[in-house]
């Protein structure tokens, strides 16, 4: 089966099929428009999205009255950064920006993929953080940039 478009997202669906198969993806794979995957029931699928969009956790790839196939994102090894002041937030945002590291935000927390150098930086700057395995809803998008 070739999937060319996302049907919807389980968070927004009013009616769901009784049987659910899941495709478990790393967050990095959410940005791939073309890929071959296997469901947790062993069914092989091709994904070739027509729309230029990233997959997100809970996206429904297929649904009929009996079955649905849903994207589930695997947990990432993250640094959860919890600055306590605006200067701390500004300093770590500046440092991460200089390294071109993508970040996500949930409430008052900044999430970045684990990097031992960032962990050392947080310790040096005395910025509160914790290392945690956590599921993110969308991919960490790396943005290309050149310094001219």
């Amino acid at each position: 089966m070739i999937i060319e478009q996302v049907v919807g997202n389980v968070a927004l669906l009013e009616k769901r099929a009784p049987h659910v198969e899941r495709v478990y993806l790393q967050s990095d794979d959410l940005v791939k428009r073309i890929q071959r995957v296997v469901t947790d029931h062993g069914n092989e699928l091709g994904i070739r999205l027509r729309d230029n969009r990233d997959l997100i956790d809970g996206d429904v790839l297929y649904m009929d009255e009996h079955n649905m196939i849903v994207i589930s994102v695997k947990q990432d090894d993250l640094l959860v950064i919890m600055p306590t002041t605006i200067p701390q937030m500004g300093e770590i945002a500046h440092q991460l920006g200089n390294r071109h590291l993508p970040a996500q935000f949930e409430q008052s927390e900044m999430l970045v993929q684990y990097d031992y150098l960032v962990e050392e930086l947080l310790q040096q700057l005395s910025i509160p953080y914790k290392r945690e395995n956590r599921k993110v809803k969308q991919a960490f998008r790396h943005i290309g940039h050149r310094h001219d």
Side-chain angles (χ1 to χ4, degrees), residues 87-144:
Q88 277 186 344
M89 178 55 125
E91 179 64 28
I92 195 59
H94 177 74
Q95 293 286 342
L96 295 177
N98 278 342
R99 297 167 192 239
H100 303 282
L101 287 178
Q104 294 183 24
F105 298 89
E106 291 183 5
Q107 290 85 33
S108 60
E109 298 175 333
M110 177 187 283
L111 309 176
V112 295
Q113 290 177 310
Y114 179 78
D115 181 308
Y116 74 95
L117 293 172
V118 173
E119 185 174 35
E120 287 176 3
L121 176 65
L122 291 165
Q123 290 168 353
Q124 291 169 1
L125 296 173
S126 299
I127 297 176
Y129 75 94
K130 60 185 172 186
R131 185 174 177 183
E132 188 174 279
N133 285 319
R134 187 186 287 189
K135 188 177 188 176
V136 294
K137 293 185 194 250
Q138 56 192 358
F140 284 93
R141 180 159 297 281
H142 293 272
I143 298 172

Side-chain angles (χ1 to χ4, degrees), residues 1-141:
M1 178 186 310
I2 304 290
I3 305 297
E4 293 185 330
Q5 66 183 24
V6 173
V7 175
N9 193 284
V10 291
L12 305 173
L13 289 179
E14 292 181 22
K15 186 176 180 185
R16 298 179 186 186
H19 180 260
V20 178
E21 287 186 55
R22 297 205 178 271
V23 172
Y24 291 97
L25 296 178
Q26 298 290 339
S27 64
D28 293 347
D29 293 331
L30 296 173
V31 298
K32 296 178 182 174
R33 291 182 50 230
I34 300 173
Q35 57 187 308
R36 185 172 298 265
V37 298
V38 178
T39 71
D40 60 348
H41 288 58
N43 295 314
E44 193 170 318
L45 304 172
I47 299 174
R48 185 179 59 217
L49 297 178
R50 284 186 260 148
D51 298 335
N52 188 15
R53 74 182 288 279
D54 294 345
L55 294 167
I56 60 172
D57 187 55
D59 274 349
V60 179
L61 300 177
Y62 171 83
M63 185 169 69
D64 63 22
E65 60 276 353
H66 303 291
N67 301 301
M68 60 194 295
I69 301 173
V70 178
I71 296 290
S72 284
V73 181
K74 294 179 181 179
Q75 292 184 340
D76 276 298
D77 187 7
L78 302 176
L79 288 171
V80 180
I81 304 168
M82 302 161 290
T84 56
T85 66
I86 295 294
Q88 277 186 344
M89 178 55 125
E91 179 64 28
I92 195 59
H94 177 74
Q95 293 286 342
L96 295 177
N98 278 342
R99 297 167 192 239
H100 303 282
L101 287 178
Q104 294 183 24
F105 298 89
E106 291 183 5
Q107 290 85 33
S108 60
E109 298 175 333
M110 177 187 283
L111 309 176
V112 295
Q113 290 177 310
Y114 179 78
D115 181 308
Y116 74 95
L117 293 172
V118 173
E119 185 174 35
E120 287 176 3
L121 176 65
L122 291 165
Q123 290 168 353
Q124 291 169 1
L125 296 173
S126 299
I127 297 176
Y129 75 94
K130 60 185 172 186
R131 185 174 177 183
E132 188 174 279
N133 285 319
R134 187 186 287 189
K135 188 177 188 176
V136 294
K137 293 185 194 250
Q138 56 192 358
F140 284 93
R141 180 159 297 281

